[in-house]
Amino acid sequence: LPHTQEYLADASKIEGLSGSIHKYCMFRHCVKMAARVIQTDAAPKAIGPYSQAIAANGFVFVSGQIPLDPGTGALVAGDIKAQTEQVLKNLRSVLEAAGATLDSVVKTTVFLKDMNTFPEMNEVYASFFTANKPARATVEVARLPRDVAVEIECVALTKQ
C-alpha cells in the first residue's frame, strides 16, 4: 500500500491511538491515496458534480447510469427494454475504461420508476450478465434524473 510506512511513523506519534483506530486510519489514508477518477467519452458525461466512476484498491464504483446516448447526450427513446439496454451499455463502457468488465461486477443496484416493469428490465439485464450473476438490489423510486424509467449503478473488481 502506498505511503504505509510514512503513515505508520506519523501515526505512532499520536498518544493513545488504539490498534483498531490506528488500522482504520491507516486504511482510510491508503484508500484515499489509491483512488483515481474514471472518465470516458464512450459513456455519457456526468450531469452533476460527480465522477462516472472511482477506482480504489482493486474496486471500481460506477455511478448510476441512465439511458443517455453517449454521442449526443440525448435520452434513448423507447420502452423499459430499450432504456435498460442503453444503461447497461453505458455501464459496460465505464467499466472498460476502469479496466473491468461486466463479468467482474460484484454488486448492482437497479432503480426503477415502476416496479411493474421489473420482468422486462430483468430480461435485458440477464442478457448482459450471462457468466457472472452479481448480487443485486432493485428498488422502486418516485423519480429518476431526466424522468427516465431505469438507472443502474455497480461495484466491480478491477484487474489492478
Side-chain angles (χ1 to χ4, degrees):
L1 295 172
H3 310 291
T4 301
Q5 292 303 323
E6 294 162 1
Y7 181 77
L8 287 172
D10 290 343
S12 67
K13 296 174 189 172
I14 301 171
E15 287 187 49
L17 187 63
S18 75
S20 61
I21 293 173
H22 174 75
K23 289 175 187 172
Y24 173 76
C25 292
M26 184 181 75
F27 174 75
R28 295 246 324 141
H29 174 75
C30 293
V31 168
K32 186 179 268 188
M33 295 302 295
R36 68 183 167 95
V37 173
I38 306 300
Q39 193 281 322
T40 178
D41 292 334
K45 294 185 183 344
I47 57 175
Y50 61 91
S51 300
Q52 289 174 323
I54 298 291
N57 288 0
F59 291 95
V60 60
F61 302 87
V62 182
S63 295
Q65 295 294 306
I66 61 174
L68 296 178
D69 179 293
T72 65
L75 284 173
V76 171
D79 63 6
I80 188 69
K81 285 184 175 185
Q83 288 194 22
T84 302
E85 182 174 354
Q86 186 62 53
V87 166
L88 289 165
K89 286 178 181 178
N90 293 344
L91 274 177
R92 181 172 53 205
S93 294
V94 176
L95 287 165
E96 288 172 356
T101 67
L102 289 172
D103 286 341
S104 62
V105 172
V106 295
K107 172 74 167 77
T108 64
T109 306
V110 180
F111 304 94
L112 291 175
K113 186 175 182 178
D114 180 358
M115 194 60 82
N116 291 319
T117 62
F118 179 86
E120 293 87 357
M121 177 284 299
N122 200 48
E123 181 182 332
V124 175
Y125 180 98
S127 73
F128 278 78
F129 291 101
T130 55
N132 175 44
K133 311 277 193 269
R136 178 178 76 185
T138 304
V139 294
E140 182 180 75
V141 295
R143 192 169 181 202
L144 289 165
R146 309 268 304 258
D147 290 318
V148 299
V150 61
E151 178 176 356
I152 303 174
E153 66 181 16
C154 73
V155 178
L157 301 172
T158 61
K159 296 176 185 174
Q160 300 175 358

